[in-house]
Amino acid sequence: MDSTQHDYFVVKAKENGVHVIGLTRGHDTKFHHTEKLDKNEVMFAQFTEHTSAVKVRGNATIYTKYGVIETNEKDESS
Ligand code: TRP
């Protein structure tokens, strides 16, 4: 199996109600799991045979091997 399917990532919620949404690998790209994190909760997860993409909704810090990504870096509504 392709070793990239084993990469880990970490999502740390900076507010209540952050969603980590797993999307299916393969021809169809569908939501298959939504995990809700409250403030300061951390989800440590992998890309797998079943999960090829992840969507993060809400204010969070995401740690990957490509670097650290902050969502809501600046408030674009103002
Ligand atoms: N059953 C899922 C899988 O093995 C669990 C999972 C792994 C998951 N990584 C994820 C769910 C990332 C949501 C986001 O693929």
Side-chain angles (χ1 to χ4, degrees), residues 4-63:
T4 60
Q5 291 188 18
H6 298 144
D7 283 349
Y8 282 91
F9 61 93
V10 175
V11 180
K12 182 175 183 192
K14 293 190 282 187
E15 65 181 359
N16 290 336
V18 169
H19 288 82
V20 180
I21 302 160
L23 297 151
T24 54
R25 189 176 294 282
H27 186 261
D28 293 325
T29 306
K30 295 192 170 155
F31 287 16
H32 66 72
H33 184 88
T34 299
E35 192 67 31
K36 195 172 145 223
L37 305 181
D38 283 332
K39 191 172 181 179
N40 293 326
E41 281 189 321
V42 172
M43 182 170 173
F44 199 91
Q46 257 178 320
F47 290 96
T48 69
E49 184 189 347
H50 305 292
T51 305
S52 66
V54 171
K55 173 170 164 172
V56 178
R57 183 179 288 157
N59 196 5
T61 307
I62 305 159
Y63 301 85

Side-chain angles (χ1 to χ4, degrees), residues 70-78:
E70 301 286 346
T71 67
N72 293 6
E73 211 156 310
K74 49 185 172 214
D75 182 2
E76 278 147 32
S77 67
S78 59

